[in-house]
DNA sequence: GGACAAATACTCAGATTGAGTATAAGTCCA
DNA sequence: TGGACTTATACTCAATCTGAGTATTTGTCC
């Protein structure tokens, strides 16, 4: 069997309260896909990924983490296996080279953003389709109730995407069958597995949020507590309770005031910076998830 | 650069209150290593791993999960890269084929078992060495205090192994330099990266314990609550408070009584079985960690 | 100088957690 | 046959954490 090894990267930034990921044009000119590179001669995989990103996209990578290795035999071409090691990278959004663009995460996965009235999208459009697909199957009904159930579990992004795929509710399913969709599909599609990998990445970020200080790799050097909160909310896809959020941040000792203040047309807020020393003090950090 | 792709498996079982992992003999006849296979023609990586394990070891694999993909250029042989996709598999311990054996996890990583008086091993033997290695370095001191600090964070198994490695406290460091150890080393060593991968696996299991029902893949069909607790304790490496443990198990609805009872020389306990239906009911399950 | 926007300060009930005490129901052996 | 011993099971309780508020301050912008 023919074998190919690639590195794929989900490069994430948060701007204007929306998480975005970097996508590049594709030979087929239709769908975008994740940036991808062949494995170079660097000593470690992490270094190879960083090098590839900095070369291809010219971005200053703050954080890199291995996501998952995908290696299914391609649905379309048998007798050929692409093993792709997917990485998650966090950056600050900047100007891009031509050929690349930022996609809104919630344009790809609209059912993941619960800051807005996504509830109705799920309840009135998605769930009926899913339930029809499930029929009497206990197994399917169970998966639906866990993935889309109440309380909504933000981390299960991949579970939800896979349900959508199996229920033919995303264009990728139809593309994999080399068909045109004949029933409604949701969210903007991407090339091959790109959207699935992006879903994996979002789930990972949401999971880490609560016990690792990942947000700070997406923010500027200094920020107000509200900006911090908005960034977390964008990633988690939920609105948080301001007072409780602050209580937590303070208790965790994650940030320190700079003394300066920023004003955006309200009472000016103090500017804070991340105290990177906490990594050396405490073990479990991060800006939890619930405290709605 | 020469490139090779392999599948490695950390096959874990819990017997007599001790977590164990499967190791196989090695050509060098000295150190044991993890079972490993080349990638076969199965449609997915998971299937390839299952097939390899069932063929090589004849075990009934209950659960399989991808761990991590390691791909550093070998420290010993330059110009050659082995990319190994490591998997975690959970089984019930059974008889083994010749050439394979069960290793006690805490023989490999003695500093991980806090059910016994490991505290003194760390405080009196390991920490002094680590501190000497750290010297004045804030970064090193911080890592030590987080990895070995109080409260002890069970999940950071890999962090601890890596500190031990960097501080030359495990035989693998010396082997990688092709030297004989001239200062004390801790735990039984394995071939190349095997022990590092094993450490990754234990960390993963401990992490999952609290939100996925992984224990049940290691237990028999029916078990007493104490057996369940002992199994969790073995993996977590901590002793738990019996009453609080039971309170949690009941609240979670993870198990149901079978009506039968088992006696081991005390008041007979009721036998329970895992309610696999919970997976379809609730989202966040598992048998938490703390409730000391 | 008022309307507005956001920050900051407190409060409070209910749930969760860590740690016990008390008692029941078996086995084992002298 | 009846302790001694083991383990199960039932409750209790204080401290803390969480979710959800209310009230007050301090700026900016017309």
């Amino acid at each position: 069997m023919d074998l190919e090894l690639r590195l794929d990267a989900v490069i994430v930034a948060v701007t204007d309260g929306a998480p975005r990921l970097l996508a590049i044009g594709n030979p087929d000119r239709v769908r975008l896909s994740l940036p991808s590179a062949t494995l170079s001669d660097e000593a470690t995989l992490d270094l190879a990924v960083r090098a590839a990103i900095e070369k291809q996209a010219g971005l200053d990578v703050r954080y890199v983490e291995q996501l998952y290795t995908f290696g299914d035999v391609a649905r379309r071409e048998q007798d050929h296996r692409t093993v792709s090691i997917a990485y998650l990278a966090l950056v600050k959004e900047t100007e891009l080279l031509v050929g690349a663009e930022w996609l809104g995460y919630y344009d790809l996965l609209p059912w993941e953003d619960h800051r807005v009235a996504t509830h109705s999208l799920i309840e009135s459009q998605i769930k009926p389709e899913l339930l029809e697909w499930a029929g009497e199957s206990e197994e399917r009904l169970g998966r639906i109730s866990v993935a889309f159930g109440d309380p909504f579990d933000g981390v299960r992004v991949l579970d939800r995407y896979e349900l959508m795929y199996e229920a033919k509710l995303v264009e990728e399913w139809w593309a994999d069958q080399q068909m045109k969709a004949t029933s409604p599909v949701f969210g903007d599609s991407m090339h091959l597995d790109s959207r699935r990998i992006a879903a994996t990445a979002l789930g990972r970020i949401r999971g880490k949020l609560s016990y690792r200080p990942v947000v700070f790799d997406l923010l500027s050097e200094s920020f107000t507590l509200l900006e911090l909160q908005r960034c977390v909310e964008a990633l988690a896809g939920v609105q948080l309770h301001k007072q409780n959020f602050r209580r937590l941040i303070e208790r965790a000792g994650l940030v320190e005031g700079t003394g300066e203040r920023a004003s955006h047309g309200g009472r000016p807020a103090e500017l804070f910076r991340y105290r990177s020393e906490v990594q050396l003090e405490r073990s479990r950090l991060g800006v939890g998830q619930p405290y709605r």
Side-chain angles (χ1 to χ4, degrees), chain A residues 140-158:
Chain A
R140 290 182 176 181
L141 289 169
R143 286 171 62 201
I144 294 170
S145 102
V146 167
F148 286 92
D150 188 66
F152 189 83
D153 185 348
V155 173
R156 296 183 174 267
V157 187
L158 183 60

Side-chain angles (χ1 to χ4, degrees), chain A residues 2-3 7 67 78 98 149 159 162 185 188 198 205 214 225 231 250 252 269:
Chain A
D2 202 20
L3 191 127
L7 294 176
L67 251 192
Q78 300 297 325
V98 276
D159 291 0
E162 297 202 318
V185 290
D188 295 347
I205 296 175
V214 280
L225 293 180
C231 184
E250 277 174 32

